[in-house]
Amino acid sequence: MTDEWRGWREAARAALYGYEGFYRSPSRSPEGPAGHFRTSVHASPLFAAAVARLLAGVARELDTGAVALVDVGAGRGELLTGVLAALAALPGGPEVTAYAVEVAARPPGLDPRIEWCAEPPAGVTGLLFANEWLDNVPAEVAEADADGVPRYVQVRTSDGAERLGDAVGGADAAWLERWWPLTAPGERAEIGRTRDAAWAGAVGSLSAGLAVAVDYAHVRGARPPFGTLTGFRGGREVRPVPDGSCDLTAHVALDACAAAVAAAVPDASAELTDQRTALHRLGVDGGRPPLGLAATDPAGYVTALAAAGGAAELTARGGLGDFGWLLHRVGPVPPDRG
């Protein structure tokens, strides 16, 4: 990495996805994202099982026995591996073509049924799922100067030092005015136009089915006043330095992403909810098993108790349960409220 001042979008793109970037270089992160931060996929197999049920529901709604499952930002293929295993236990489950969309190289030993690709395949029918992908789509950072004028934040590659650059203008300024106005000196925002475009493109790759983005999220009226950009390394939150040594992430304005899809994919309906609500619909319940089961079936009680613990973590308020779920139905797919 060269030592120079850049906007955060350019710096983060190189740090995450460049030749020696955090997500591409095995020497930077040999264990993959799972070695640095914990997602719902890693928290409990119940998450993959819920996605499997969601996929089966999409297949029923489309009235087809064969569907695609596209995992955008697939990491090392953990979610797809779990979903395929869960589908095998579902009676009458659909035939699935699985696609892992990821910039890193295909990991050794991955299930050969999973196709590895750099972009979402075009024109497929089924479920497109993006779990904690959009927060890693690099975005410009803006800060209001002493006069309240939003300016681009520049960052030095080597140490993460920052300075203010040019005033924000054009489409970026319009995005800030609509979605994240900066009203006082020192306030900061991540300009989400790159996330909007990335998500609209992903949803547009579906010919019919359901697209779901799951991520750290906020909406207009409840934006964090100083932004959310941060880093993760080895399971710990660290100062964001764009030198390729850590993950760089920022929460997502999912309401802006929804509006971008509405403009680009007119036949896509939208729903924004939280993970707790979405997983409850899919049968993930953190309720404890009845104590009497411990006497009649001790092994079953222990298994049920472990599942309840996993479900509780996935749906916890103040934790994973607060993640945003943005759902878009594309084509002739009626909403499933069950």
Side-chain angles (χ1 to χ4, degrees):
M1 298 283 177
T2 58
D3 188 12
E4 58 182 314
W5 293 95
R6 299 176 173 180
W8 263 109
R9 178 184 176 188
E10 180 186 356
R13 182 189 293 114
L16 294 177
Y17 305 115
Y19 179 72
E20 284 295 316
F22 180 79
Y23 280 106
R24 295 193 65 178
S25 173
S27 63
R28 295 280 192 183
S29 183
E31 64 282 85
H36 298 277
F37 49 86
R38 180 177 173 84
T39 73
S40 297
V41 179
H42 310 122
S44 171
L46 294 175
F47 189 80
V51 175
R53 291 192 292 275
L54 182 61
L55 178 62
V58 170
R60 289 192 300 271
E61 293 167 350
L62 292 170
D63 194 22
T64 179
V67 287
L69 173 59
V70 183
D71 181 11
V72 185
R76 296 298 188 266
E78 298 96 334
L79 177 60
L80 288 174
T81 299
V83 171
L84 291 175
L87 283 171
L90 286 180
E95 178 184 340
V96 176
T97 302
Y99 299 92
V101 182
E102 182 56 67
V103 296
R106 181 188 184 97
L110 187 67
D111 190 320
R113 293 175 294 173
I114 298 174
E115 298 189 29
W116 201 260
C117 46
E119 299 288 341
V124 300
T125 297
L127 174 63
L128 181 144
F129 203 86
N131 184 60
E132 294 194 45
W133 169 57
L134 287 173
D135 65 290
N136 289 128
V137 174
E140 294 288 7
V141 176
E143 180 178 323
D145 66 14
D147 296 319
V149 176
R151 294 187 176 276
Y152 292 109
V153 176
Q154 297 181 331
V155 60
R156 192 162 57 196
T157 304
S158 61
D159 60 3
E162 293 181 336
R163 69 183 185 188
L164 297 187
D166 293 338
V168 177
D172 286 344
W175 190 95
L176 282 178
E177 183 177 358
R178 179 180 181 185
W179 294 111
W180 198 336
L182 300 179
T183 59
E187 289 188 346
R188 288 169 64 111
E190 292 92 35
I191 302 173
R193 288 201 312 120
T194 46
R195 280 94 177 268
D196 298 351
W199 184 237
V203 176
S205 71
L206 281 179
S207 62
L210 178 67
V212 182
V214 181
D215 232 310
Y216 303 94
H218 45 64
V219 296
R220 185 181 167 94
R223 307 285 190 213
F226 303 110
T228 61
L229 179 66
T230 191
F232 282 93
R233 183 192 304 116
R236 296 178 179 274
E237 188 171 5
V238 297
R239 183 166 168 264
V241 178
D243 61 358
S245 68
C246 65
D247 178 42
L248 298 170
T249 175
H251 296 197
V252 183
L254 283 181
D255 49 349
C257 291
V261 171
V265 190
D267 65 342
S269 65
E271 178 190 7
L272 181 56
T273 187
D274 60 30
Q275 177 154 299
R276 180 182 178 88
T277 301
L279 289 184
H280 279 175
R281 289 181 189 169
L282 293 167
V284 178
D285 188 340
R288 294 172 64 90
L291 189 58
L293 184 63
T296 60
D297 182 5
Y301 177 77
V302 171
T303 300
L305 192 63
E313 181 179 3
L314 289 172
T315 59
R317 295 295 187 199
L320 295 175
D322 290 343
F323 271 46
W325 278 51
L326 177 58
L327 304 93
H328 294 278
R329 285 179 165 82
V330 179
V333 184
D336 178 12
R337 299 297 180 185

